[in-house]
Amino acid sequence: MGHEIYRKIIDLVLKAAEIARSIGISNILQPGLVKEMIIADILGHKLIHLKRNADACAMDNPNELYEYLSCKEGGSGQLDRMLKSPPEKRAESLARITRNSMIYFAVFYESEQTKCKVIYEIKPDVLLEEAERQLDRSSNTISHVGFTEAWASKNGKIVYQNKE
């Protein structure tokens, strides 16, 4: 029984990969990509699937960029590998925040991690202030900067909430 179910799952993943390649997405299994697709679909954004760019942009304006942070209930969304120093590398890291028109923080249900519970809209300057505070306090040159749902709810506004 298990083998048949695995085969069905693999077949569906291979079909999804084929569909993704047809629109230029070469690696459907890239970490975070499927959740970014879900968020972009909910918010009506255009996904940017290239690794070293923002996560999405406005449908009608490729210069209006958005960054997505996500976590499951009780977790934290994070920006990985943020550099505290030297100053030019820190500024480059922080540009992952400042290049965006808006930041979106999505929380997915722990019991169903492909289902979005809530999305908060956070202004980049607000997220930047917290990221800088965390970098300043870090003893490491390279840090992960994390944000909880409690922080997002206090510093952002809800733009999507699952009604189920």
Side-chain angles (χ1 to χ4, degrees), residues 36 39 55 67-71 76-80 96 103-108 118-120 122 127 145-147 151:
E36 290 169 2
I39 297 165
D55 294 321
E67 188 71 20
Y68 297 156
L69 298 174
S70 67
C71 66
S76 66
Q78 62 183 30
L79 293 167
D80 294 343
R96 291 169 55 195
I103 311 291
Y104 293 93
F105 184 99
V107 179
F108 288 80
V118 63
I119 300 175
Y120 299 92
I122 302 166
L127 195 90
V145 178
F147 308 88
W151 183 90

Side-chain angles (χ1 to χ4, degrees), residues 5-159:
I5 292 173
Y6 295 157
R7 186 76 243 154
K8 285 181 182 179
I9 293 169
I10 291 166
D11 288 344
L12 289 169
V13 170
L14 293 174
K15 182 65 177 166
E18 180 184 328
I19 294 167
R21 281 191 302 277
S22 77
I23 59 167
I25 298 174
S26 61
N27 182 10
I28 191 75
L29 300 178
Q30 176 181 310
L33 183 61
V34 173
K35 284 190 176 179
E36 290 169 2
M37 287 180 180
I38 292 167
I39 297 165
D41 183 58
I42 289 169
L43 297 175
H45 296 160
K46 181 178 178 184
L47 180 73
I48 300 173
H49 59 86
L50 304 172
K51 198 117 171 81
R52 298 281 173 225
N53 206 328
D55 294 321
C57 64
M59 281 291 194
D60 58 351
N61 183 356
N63 296 315
E64 188 175 314
L65 302 174
Y66 309 120
E67 188 71 20
Y68 297 156
L69 298 174
S70 67
C71 66
K72 64 182 180 180
E73 294 172 297
S76 66
Q78 62 183 30
L79 293 167
D80 294 343
R81 300 193 51 79
M82 297 290 285
L83 297 169
K84 177 178 181 169
S85 61
E88 61 277 3
K89 292 290 186 184
R90 180 179 173 128
E92 197 176 302
S93 287
L94 293 172
R96 291 169 55 195
I97 299 169
T98 59
R99 70 182 172 200
N100 298 292
S101 298
M102 200 61 71
I103 311 291
Y104 293 93
F105 184 99
V107 179
F108 288 80
Y109 289 100
E110 184 170 7
S111 62
E112 196 172 339
Q113 293 183 33
T114 54
K115 191 173 191 177
C116 189
K117 174 184 171 183
V118 63
I119 300 175
Y120 299 92
E121 182 179 77
I122 302 166
K123 292 183 176 157
D125 60 324
V126 173
L127 195 90
L128 176 65
E129 185 178 322
E130 177 60 15
E132 289 195 290
R133 185 191 71 75
Q134 289 185 36
L135 286 175
D136 289 343
R137 294 183 66 196
S138 176
S139 57
N140 301 321
T141 302
I142 302 173
S143 296
H144 299 315
V145 178
F147 308 88
T148 64
E149 182 179 359
W151 183 90
S153 69
K154 186 173 144 184
N155 292 280
K157 73 174 188 174
I158 294 175
V159 293

